[in-house]
Amino acid sequence: MKFSFYVFFLSIVLFTSCKSNKEVIIPNTDTAIEYWGRINTTTTDSTDLHWSGTSVKLNFEGTRIQALLKDEKGDNYYNILVDNDSAKLLRLDNTKRYYTLANNLKQGKHTVELFKRTEWDKGKTSFFGFKLNKEGKRLPKDTPKARKIEFYGNSITAGYAVEDYTGKDRPDSTYTNNYLSYAAITARHFNAEYRAICKSGIGITVSWFPLLMPELYNRLDPNDENSIWDFSLYQPDVVVVNLFQNDSWIVNMPENEEFKRRFGDQKPNDTFIINAYQNFITSLRKEYPNTKIICALGAMDATKEGSKWMGFITTAVANCNDKNMYTHFMPYKQTPGHPSIKEQQEMANSLIAFISKNIDW
């Protein structure tokens, strides 16, 4: 697939100006719309997108398609995928507006997908629906994919700074692209429905901010501790956990504020760390009784030679005595900063090979 990543400046039409007798309006609740990700699809006014990799897809006939969107902060970026053949970069603003996703298309059947590149700390995006030109027609959504995969991870899974070609790991969300993460690449390889529960800087025992994955993993709205996800709505065939990279740094930083808040003045011992990991994957097992769980790590320095963190995971998994729980460690990339596009692909290759060899799904 060829990508042309640039800001896709769009013609904008206010919602109040549309006339239903001239254009085809497809509200967010329409059954032809396909949603991926942990989102609430029961609201009638809008569907809110929070998590990395959440997406909205429609099959249609027509020469133009627009989407009615409002971003909470104006900091979110999306990939626009038209006919699975191109990706254009869309940045939203914080007003409720129509954005032209594709125009001057050839007559016939088309597909459009909005894919959320950025992380949930950039705020939510409210999706209200699509609009086609007057000759347009909504088409049925695709047959559900046979496989489902879900990832729990940190910045590596989020695709943080993957497009920062300077290697400076700049935090501007322009450079983050979950679509190019090893997680999304792996899901596409297996033609699997994809979900990612991830946040840059997060850990299991300590994070760079006041929230741990065991405190976050079960949320629908990641910013609301009272917004609880119903796990029965999505039972993945495979779950991949790629965590501990941030823990491996912060547990050695006694002056860090989150170290002090989580541990006081005493560094956690190995048993504490192993138990914390074991408790988390046990929590996932309770929600997913039949899922294959891959406890992974990589490909930053938590997997370099001599690291104890792979051993912590191996011990925790062995303690679970679970035949459907595996370990897989992606080799240390031996470069500074976050994984590049090439390194994300290499991670995906490693994980794809492991799944192909060990998982029957």
Side-chain angles (χ1 to χ4, degrees):
M1 181 181 293
K2 182 180 180 181
F3 293 94
S4 53
F5 292 108
Y6 56 90
V7 178
F8 190 39
F9 292 105
L10 306 149
S11 59
I12 298 170
V13 182
L14 293 178
F15 176 66
T16 54
S17 69
C18 75
K19 297 180 180 180
S20 60
N21 63 334
K22 292 185 177 181
E23 294 155 321
V24 179
I25 305 298
I26 305 170
N28 67 298
T29 54
D30 195 292
T31 56
I33 298 174
E34 182 177 6
Y35 293 104
W36 282 14
R38 189 179 285 187
I39 54 180
N40 184 357
T41 60
T42 63
T43 55
T44 56
D45 182 42
S46 69
T47 300
D48 294 335
L49 282 66
H50 301 276
W51 296 97
S52 303
T54 50
S55 67
V56 184
K57 184 177 180 181
L58 181 74
N59 298 326
F60 67 99
E61 290 182 359
T63 59
R64 184 185 69 184
I65 185 167
Q66 298 172 297
L68 184 58
L69 302 159
K70 180 180 180 181
D71 201 58
E72 183 177 7
K73 299 179 181 180
D75 288 337
N76 276 307
Y77 288 82
Y78 284 78
N79 286 342
I80 303 172
L81 299 137
V82 179
D83 298 334
N84 299 311
D85 191 42
S86 63
K88 296 177 180 179
L89 179 61
L90 168 63
R91 181 175 184 174
L92 306 179
D93 59 38
N94 58 1
T95 57
K96 183 179 178 180
R97 299 185 178 186
Y98 269 112
Y99 295 83
T100 300
L101 307 182
N103 203 4
N104 299 318
L105 296 171
K106 294 181 180 180
Q107 294 288 346
K109 298 179 180 180
H110 298 285
T111 295
V112 69
E113 181 180 356
L114 276 171
F115 183 100
K116 191 174 189 292
R117 296 161 54 106
T118 39
E119 300 187 55
W120 56 259
D121 61 336
K122 304 304 178 185
K124 69 179 180 180
T125 301
S126 296
F127 167 76
F128 298 89
F130 290 112
K131 181 169 66 174
L132 306 176
N133 56 308
K134 61 182 179 180
E135 296 86 8
K137 179 183 177 182
R138 60 190 275 285
L139 298 176
K141 59 187 175 185
D142 297 335
T143 302
K145 295 184 181 297
R147 294 165 169 169
K148 296 182 176 71
I149 190 167
E150 184 171 62
F151 292 78
Y152 291 83
N154 47 44
S155 55
I156 302 170
T157 302
Y160 176 88
V162 67
E163 291 189 300
D164 185 356
Y165 302 107
T166 69
K168 295 180 179 179
D169 267 11
R170 287 174 288 183
D172 190 301
S173 53
T174 308
Y175 307 112
T176 293
N177 187 356
N178 183 256
Y179 193 84
L180 296 180
S181 71
Y182 78 95
I185 294 169
T186 299
R188 290 195 297 275
H189 174 86
F190 289 108
N191 193 29
E193 185 175 339
Y194 167 63
R195 296 193 177 190
I197 308 303
C198 56
K199 176 67 180 72
S200 292
I202 203 163
I204 287 182
T205 66
V206 64
S207 305
W208 294 100
F209 57 95
L211 190 63
L212 305 176
M213 182 58 80
E215 299 164 349
L216 175 72
Y217 80 102
N218 63 346
R219 295 186 186 183
L220 170 58
D221 177 350
N223 289 294
D224 182 359
E225 64 182 23
N226 296 313
S227 178
I228 303 302
W229 172 247
D230 181 356
F231 284 91
S232 69
L233 297 176
Y234 183 80
Q235 290 283 305
D237 302 291
V238 174
V239 159
V240 179
V241 178
N242 187 1
L243 292 163
F244 261 174
Q245 175 62 41
N246 293 302
D247 306 68
S248 72
W249 278 66
I250 306 173
V251 297
N252 296 309
M253 303 172 66
E255 297 306 313
N256 178 276
E257 288 302 315
E258 288 304 311
F259 180 105
K260 295 176 182 178
R261 194 168 76 86
R262 295 291 180 180
F263 312 130
D265 58 2
Q266 186 68 42
K267 178 181 177 178
N269 61 31
D270 293 358
T271 300
F272 176 92
I273 294 169
I274 292 167
N275 286 342
Y277 193 95
Q278 185 175 330
N279 289 339
F280 175 63
I281 57 176
T282 299
S283 296
L284 289 178
R285 171 57 74 216
K286 289 178 181 177
E287 303 294 353
Y288 299 139
N290 301 311
T291 295
K292 312 286 189 180
I293 299 176
I294 302 172
C295 297
L297 188 61
M300 293 175 70
D301 60 5
T303 56
K304 68 181 180 181
E305 186 176 356
S307 170
K308 298 195 300 182
W309 294 86
M310 293 176 285
F312 294 156
I313 293 173
T314 299
T315 300
V317 170
N319 289 344
C320 290
N321 192 28
D322 186 329
K323 66 179 182 179
N324 287 322
M325 198 172 286
Y326 308 79
T327 59
H328 177 61
F329 306 126
M330 291 166 274
Y332 174 40
K333 63 190 185 70
Q334 299 186 25
T335 57
H338 283 79
S340 64
I341 293 175
K342 178 177 179 290
E343 289 165 340
Q344 288 279 4
Q345 182 65 62
E346 289 170 350
M347 291 175 64
N349 293 343
S350 174
L351 182 58
I352 288 166
F354 179 84
I355 292 174
S356 297
K357 180 180 179 181
N358 294 283
I359 306 297
D360 181 12
W361 63 327

